Amino acid sequence: MPDRPFHHGNLRAVLLDEAVGVLRESGVDGLSLRDLARRAGVSHGAPRSHFVDRQALLDALAVTGFERLTSAVRRALAGSGDDLAARFRAVARAYVDFAIDDAALMELMFQAKGSGGTGSAGESAATLFAVLDQAMGPRPDGGGDEGARTAFKMLFAATMQGIAALVASRRLERAHADGLIDAATDMMLASDLRTRALTPS
């Protein structure tokens, strides 16, 4: 039986969208270039014009995930006003919602970031954390404690991913996540770490 003809004008984007769907359905183990070609309705060799192998697909998916999460955080920031606590709650909910809805993608993103932190995934992760930095507001005139500022962002991400993991593993009802998010952000904003991050040096 002959291969089906290539007919997508933007096959790469179509394949990545299909791959995100597969991750939601069956996790990373369910991903294959041949199956994605079938889902996209193209020849089984067509995906290799964009992804030389499965690892290239996984790397591109990690970048896509960081881009989508960054966009969600930006939208949350845009609609949250000037109040610091309101900004952090809005960003936290956007972060947790993404991490719950795309748990497998989130895991893949940070595996790619942790495998070296360089290349496209590392750059995309850096962009995400730059946007998270915006939620903290402008740096104080004296510069503040940069180490504390970085640690605060890492603590924020780790805490929100932890809350999402509790929901994804069904140890916490999703309806109860908001209360935990509020409690966590209140504690972080009242912490000495936050004070050092936002106080002029």
Side-chain angles (χ1 to χ4, degrees):
M1 182 177 179
D3 289 343
R4 285 168 291 182
F6 175 94
H7 63 269
H8 280 293
N10 193 358
L11 180 61
R12 188 178 189 277
V14 170
L15 291 170
L16 287 172
D17 283 345
E18 292 289 350
V20 170
V22 172
L23 281 174
R24 289 173 178 165
E25 294 168 8
S26 53
V28 69
D29 290 341
L31 282 171
S32 76
L33 290 172
R34 182 179 287 269
D35 180 59
L36 290 179
R38 179 187 61 78
R39 287 170 174 261
V42 297
S43 68
H44 67 80
R48 294 193 182 275
S49 63
H50 298 283
F51 309 111
V52 65
D53 55 21
R54 186 173 180 272
Q55 186 58 51
L57 169 68
L58 296 180
D59 292 343
L61 270 173
V63 171
T64 295
F66 278 117
E67 290 173 347
R68 291 184 178 188
L69 178 53
T70 300
S71 293
V73 170
R74 282 192 171 119
R75 288 193 299 272
L77 277 174
S80 59
D82 295 328
D83 181 70
L84 180 64
R87 283 204 310 271
F88 261 92
R89 287 195 180 106
V91 168
R93 288 191 175 93
Y95 198 108
V96 170
D97 283 345
F98 180 93
I100 292 170
D101 294 335
D102 282 297
L105 179 57
M106 193 74 156
E107 182 178 357
L108 176 63
M109 288 157 53
F110 282 91
Q111 282 177 348
K113 170 65 173 67
S115 66
T118 59
S120 295
E123 292 167 5
S124 297
T127 299
L128 169 64
F129 278 89
V131 175
L132 288 176
D133 190 83
Q134 294 173 21
M136 301 178 72
R139 281 171 167 72
D141 291 339
D145 184 334
E146 195 62 33
R149 198 171 179 108
T150 298
F152 188 92
K153 287 181 286 186
M154 294 301 295
L155 176 63
F156 172 84
T159 302
M160 296 312 137
Q161 285 179 232
I163 293 171
L166 288 174
V167 175
S169 63
R170 298 183 180 178
R171 295 183 181 183
L172 177 72
E173 293 291 333
R174 188 160 188 168
H176 298 155
D178 278 355
L180 200 55
I181 289 169
D182 288 348
T185 53
D186 286 347
M187 289 178 64
M188 283 187 283
L189 290 173
S191 69
D192 175 68
L193 184 62
R194 178 262 180 182
T195 301
R196 288 189 285 118
L198 299 179
T199 300
S201 57

Short mmCIF file of all heavy atoms in Angstrom, two decimals, residues 54-78:
data_model
loop_
_atom_site.label_atom_id
_atom_site.label_comp_id
_atom_site.label_asym_id
_atom_site.label_seq_id
_atom_site.Cartn_x
_atom_site.Cartn_y
_atom_site.Cartn_z
N ARG A 54 12.97 10.19 17.58
CA ARG A 54 12.01 10.39 18.66
C ARG A 54 12.53 11.39 19.70
O ARG A 54 11.76 12.18 20.25
CB ARG A 54 11.70 9.04 19.33
CG ARG A 54 10.60 9.08 20.39
CD ARG A 54 10.28 7.66 20.83
NE ARG A 54 9.23 7.63 21.85
CZ ARG A 54 9.47 7.73 23.16
NH1 ARG A 54 10.70 7.89 23.60
NH2 ARG A 54 8.46 7.68 24.02
N GLN A 55 13.82 11.36 19.98
CA GLN A 55 14.37 12.29 20.97
C GLN A 55 14.24 13.73 20.50
O GLN A 55 13.96 14.62 21.30
CB GLN A 55 15.85 11.97 21.23
CG GLN A 55 16.46 12.81 22.35
CD GLN A 55 15.72 12.64 23.67
OE1 GLN A 55 15.49 11.52 24.13
NE2 GLN A 55 15.30 13.75 24.28
N ALA A 56 14.41 13.96 19.21
CA ALA A 56 14.22 15.31 18.68
C ALA A 56 12.78 15.77 18.89
O ALA A 56 12.52 16.95 19.17
CB ALA A 56 14.59 15.35 17.20
N LEU A 57 11.83 14.85 18.74
CA LEU A 57 10.43 15.17 19.01
C LEU A 57 10.24 15.53 20.47
O LEU A 57 9.57 16.52 20.79
CB LEU A 57 9.54 13.98 18.63
CG LEU A 57 8.08 14.05 19.09
CD1 LEU A 57 7.35 15.16 18.34
CD2 LEU A 57 7.40 12.70 18.88
N LEU A 58 10.82 14.74 21.38
CA LEU A 58 10.67 15.00 22.81
C LEU A 58 11.28 16.36 23.18
O LEU A 58 10.70 17.11 23.98
CB LEU A 58 11.33 13.89 23.63
CG LEU A 58 10.74 12.49 23.48
CD1 LEU A 58 11.50 11.49 24.34
CD2 LEU A 58 9.25 12.48 23.84
N ASP A 59 12.42 16.67 22.60
CA ASP A 59 13.05 17.97 22.87
C ASP A 59 12.16 19.12 22.40
O ASP A 59 12.00 20.13 23.10
CB ASP A 59 14.41 18.05 22.17
CG ASP A 59 15.44 17.09 22.76
OD1 ASP A 59 15.22 16.60 23.89
OD2 ASP A 59 16.45 16.83 22.08
N ALA A 60 11.57 18.95 21.22
CA ALA A 60 10.69 19.99 20.69
C ALA A 60 9.42 20.12 21.54
O ALA A 60 8.91 21.23 21.76
CB ALA A 60 10.31 19.68 19.24
N LEU A 61 8.94 19.01 22.05
CA LEU A 61 7.77 19.05 22.92
C LEU A 61 8.07 19.80 24.21
O LEU A 61 7.22 20.54 24.72
CB LEU A 61 7.32 17.62 23.26
CG LEU A 61 6.31 16.98 22.33
CD1 LEU A 61 6.11 15.51 22.71
CD2 LEU A 61 4.98 17.73 22.37
N ALA A 62 9.27 19.60 24.76
CA ALA A 62 9.66 20.31 25.97
C ALA A 62 9.64 21.82 25.73
O ALA A 62 9.13 22.59 26.54
CB ALA A 62 11.03 19.85 26.43
N VAL A 63 10.17 22.24 24.60
CA VAL A 63 10.17 23.66 24.25
C VAL A 63 8.74 24.17 24.12
O VAL A 63 8.38 25.23 24.64
CB VAL A 63 10.95 23.91 22.95
CG1 VAL A 63 10.77 25.34 22.47
CG2 VAL A 63 12.43 23.59 23.14
N THR A 64 7.90 23.39 23.44
CA THR A 64 6.49 23.76 23.28
C THR A 64 5.81 23.92 24.64
O THR A 64 5.05 24.86 24.87
CB THR A 64 5.75 22.70 22.45
OG1 THR A 64 6.27 22.68 21.13
CG2 THR A 64 4.25 22.98 22.39
N GLY A 65 6.11 23.01 25.55
CA GLY A 65 5.53 23.09 26.89
C GLY A 65 5.94 24.35 27.62
O GLY A 65 5.10 25.05 28.21
N PHE A 66 7.23 24.67 27.58
CA PHE A 66 7.69 25.90 28.24
C PHE A 66 7.05 27.13 27.60
O PHE A 66 6.68 28.08 28.31
CB PHE A 66 9.22 26.01 28.16
CG PHE A 66 9.93 25.22 29.22
CD1 PHE A 66 10.78 24.17 28.88
CD2 PHE A 66 9.77 25.52 30.57
CE1 PHE A 66 11.44 23.44 29.85
CE2 PHE A 66 10.43 24.79 31.56
CZ PHE A 66 11.27 23.75 31.19
N GLU A 67 6.91 27.12 26.28
CA GLU A 67 6.28 28.26 25.61
C GLU A 67 4.83 28.41 26.03
O GLU A 67 4.34 29.53 26.27
CB GLU A 67 6.40 28.09 24.10
CG GLU A 67 7.82 28.25 23.57
CD GLU A 67 7.96 27.91 22.10
OE1 GLU A 67 7.01 27.32 21.52
OE2 GLU A 67 9.02 28.22 21.52
N ARG A 68 4.10 27.30 26.13
CA ARG A 68 2.69 27.36 26.51
C ARG A 68 2.53 27.79 27.96
O ARG A 68 1.64 28.60 28.29
CB ARG A 68 2.03 26.00 26.27
CG ARG A 68 1.90 25.66 24.80
CD ARG A 68 1.14 24.36 24.59
NE ARG A 68 0.98 24.06 23.18
CZ ARG A 68 0.23 23.08 22.70
NH1 ARG A 68 -0.41 22.27 23.52
NH2 ARG A 68 0.13 22.89 21.38
N LEU A 69 3.39 27.28 28.83
CA LEU A 69 3.30 27.68 30.24
C LEU A 69 3.67 29.15 30.39
O LEU A 69 3.02 29.89 31.15
CB LEU A 69 4.22 26.80 31.08
CG LEU A 69 4.29 27.13 32.58
CD1 LEU A 69 2.90 27.17 33.20
CD2 LEU A 69 5.17 26.11 33.30
N THR A 70 4.69 29.59 29.68
CA THR A 70 5.07 31.00 29.73
C THR A 70 3.93 31.89 29.27
O THR A 70 3.65 32.94 29.88
CB THR A 70 6.32 31.24 28.87
OG1 THR A 70 7.41 30.45 29.38
CG2 THR A 70 6.73 32.70 28.90
N SER A 71 3.24 31.49 28.21
CA SER A 71 2.09 32.26 27.73
C SER A 71 0.99 32.32 28.77
O SER A 71 0.36 33.37 28.98
CB SER A 71 1.56 31.65 26.42
OG SER A 71 2.49 31.79 25.38
N ALA A 72 0.74 31.20 29.46
CA ALA A 72 -0.29 31.17 30.50
C ALA A 72 0.08 32.09 31.65
O ALA A 72 -0.77 32.81 32.21
CB ALA A 72 -0.48 29.74 31.00
N VAL A 73 1.36 32.09 32.04
CA VAL A 73 1.81 32.97 33.11
C VAL A 73 1.70 34.44 32.69
O VAL A 73 1.27 35.29 33.48
CB VAL A 73 3.25 32.61 33.52
CG1 VAL A 73 3.83 33.67 34.47
CG2 VAL A 73 3.29 31.23 34.18
N ARG A 74 2.05 34.75 31.46
CA ARG A 74 1.93 36.13 30.97
C ARG A 74 0.47 36.59 31.00
O ARG A 74 0.18 37.74 31.37
CB ARG A 74 2.48 36.23 29.55
CG ARG A 74 4.01 36.27 29.48
CD ARG A 74 4.47 36.65 28.08
NE ARG A 74 5.90 36.90 28.06
CZ ARG A 74 6.77 36.23 27.32
NH1 ARG A 74 6.36 35.24 26.53
NH2 ARG A 74 8.06 36.52 27.35
N ARG A 75 -0.44 35.72 30.57
CA ARG A 75 -1.86 36.09 30.60
C ARG A 75 -2.32 36.35 32.03
O ARG A 75 -3.08 37.28 32.29
CB ARG A 75 -2.71 34.99 29.96
CG ARG A 75 -2.58 34.91 28.44
CD ARG A 75 -3.67 34.04 27.84
NE ARG A 75 -3.61 32.67 28.31
CZ ARG A 75 -2.88 31.71 27.74
NH1 ARG A 75 -2.14 31.98 26.68
NH2 ARG A 75 -2.90 30.48 28.23
N ALA A 76 -1.86 35.51 32.95
CA ALA A 76 -2.22 35.70 34.36
C ALA A 76 -1.69 37.03 34.89
O ALA A 76 -2.40 37.76 35.60
CB ALA A 76 -1.68 34.54 35.20
N LEU A 77 -0.47 37.36 34.53
CA LEU A 77 0.11 38.63 34.97
C LEU A 77 -0.65 39.81 34.39
O LEU A 77 -0.89 40.81 35.08
CB LEU A 77 1.58 38.70 34.54
CG LEU A 77 2.61 38.02 35.43
CD1 LEU A 77 3.98 38.05 34.78
CD2 LEU A 77 2.65 38.67 36.80
N ALA A 78 -1.03 39.70 33.13
CA ALA A 78 -1.70 40.82 32.45
C ALA A 78 -3.04 41.15 33.09
O ALA A 78 -3.47 42.30 33.07
CB ALA A 78 -1.90 40.48 30.97
#
